[in-house]
Amino acid sequence: MASPSRPGRLRRILLRTGALAVVLALAIAGLATWAWATADVSTVGSTEFRRPLTIPPLAPSTVEPDGTRVFALDMQTGTTEFDPGVATETWGFNGGYLGPTLRAARGERVRVLVRNQLPEASTVHWHGMHLPAAMDGGPHQMVEPGATWTPEWTVAQPASTLWYHPHPHGATEDHVRRGLAGLFLLDDEPAAALPLPDTYGVDDIPVIVQDLRLRGDQLDGTHGAFRDVGFLGDRTMVNGTIAPYQEVGDELVRLRLLNAATARTFTFAFHDSRAFALIGTDGGLLERPETLSRVQLSPGERAEIVVRVQPGERAVLRSERLDAGLDFWANRFAGGDDRFDVLELRAAATLRPSPALPAALVAPATPDGSASSVERTFDLTIAGINGAAMAMDRIDTTVTRGATETWTIRNVDGMPHNFHVHDVQFRVLDYAGAPPPPALRGPKDTIFLPPNTTATVTMRFDGPADPDTPYMYHCHLLWHEDRGMMGQFVVVEPGQQAGKPPRHSH
Ligand code: C2O
Ligand code: CU
Ligand code: CU
């Protein structure tokens, strides 16, 4: 039989390849549509608040003859019953999940005995704390399994809501998501003199918000399709309690909100969009309360809010859709279309009267930028900061002790990031080309940056100097940090050169 003519064969081949390409394109479009359609979650309206909110205990401490306050934190494995009857494997400090609340006053010397009883090395970093670099608990202060690390420092900053969590390079997302995090509250006299709600667990409630996904008796940490921000869960919890309620007996309730999620940005608001007062940000109280009806927190950020409740009511704190100008695709896959019922406040039938909020809070402690002597720019992409992925033995930035600097941070990437600087609190001078909005007017150590957003911030590096031990700055979306969106800076004496940190952390 004669073979088919060449043009005929070519046509058939072309037809077949064409059909295959169409089928492939349809399949890819179908998968993308499916991924898109199943990517958003909502627990709004369907949440039954059945469990009383766990309030992390205040960590016990002893005081040495020289006045040093000593805490003990054991990093350990354990189990937690998130859903009744299911013991989920978790990690925690002094318990199965999260850790106790450490509390100290300005001027106090503190020491923490950190014992690692985990099967792997880790660290404990004091997020927001001004302290010597060797005490910072970053990736250069690894604690081996079975070892103890004993950092100590003197508290030298205003009253604030700080926190602690592991920081091992490459495994921070994993260690935090398993449950290693806790609050570190600082007190001072100016804050104590203000008539603010301040009875811990009564009218001053710690609210550590995280998302999670449960699979059997495991916390599922897998990243879904197109999730370039990292892990996103399908439920939220507060202080390790899913669907929690908190009974309150005072007219004014202070919530110390911490976003301890590894990747998710929350937009907190009440179910009825009621106004509340923002009184504090990452590094302490504002100059004056700001009236808001929502506050957005990216991973690592804190906000202290005071909300008024009515006798007998139930007020639900929610996380609403993200409004950060992301395109529809990025918004959906960054979790920006998700909504959550986070915490129900149950007000008693009769409430104790609360004093009115003061019109003025505290004088700002961050510089205003006028004495700034150094300007730097940090460009953020998933590949690294200023084009370089984190290297343990490379110092990226050398800062002179006592200097005030102005940093311009630009997200030049297609996905959201944020930026956190160790050791300091900064003031935002400019955000997205405008003066900072109310939620960014207080002391900050972490700032959210949607794509194509620029922030200019200023801070003072008071030291002490240590040319060999770096602090970190990084994206606090922890998977990004693990992948290398992190850089190192040292504080040196005037005229001193940066040293060389060890390539390996231990
Ligand atoms: Cu909250 Cu470098 O970390
Ligand atoms: Cu930090
Ligand atoms: Cu990032």
Side-chain angles (χ1 to χ4, degrees), residues 3-19:
S3 63
S5 69
R6 269 186 76 123
R9 217 167 92 196
L10 189 63
R11 223 180 74 200
R12 272 206 302 280
I13 290 172
L14 280 177
L15 271 175
R16 270 191 217 139
T17 353

Side-chain angles (χ1 to χ4, degrees), residues 106 127-130 156-163 184 186-188 191 256-257 279-286 300-304 362-366 420 423-427 439 441-446:
R106 183 169 192 158
H127 181 129
M129 196 77 74
H130 171 55
Q157 67 194 92
S160 45
T161 302
L162 311 184
W163 65 301
F184 201 137
L186 299 183
D187 300 307
D188 68 4
R256 296 186 190 240
L257 302 168
I279 60 164
T281 50
D282 300 342
L285 297 174
L286 306 180
E301 291 185 288
R302 287 86 70 206
E304 296 190 32
V362 299
T366 48
H420 166 52
D423 184 49
V424 290
Q425 295 293 329
F426 51 75
R427 183 192 295 219
R441 286 186 200 149
K444 295 284 294 167
D445 57 47
T446 307

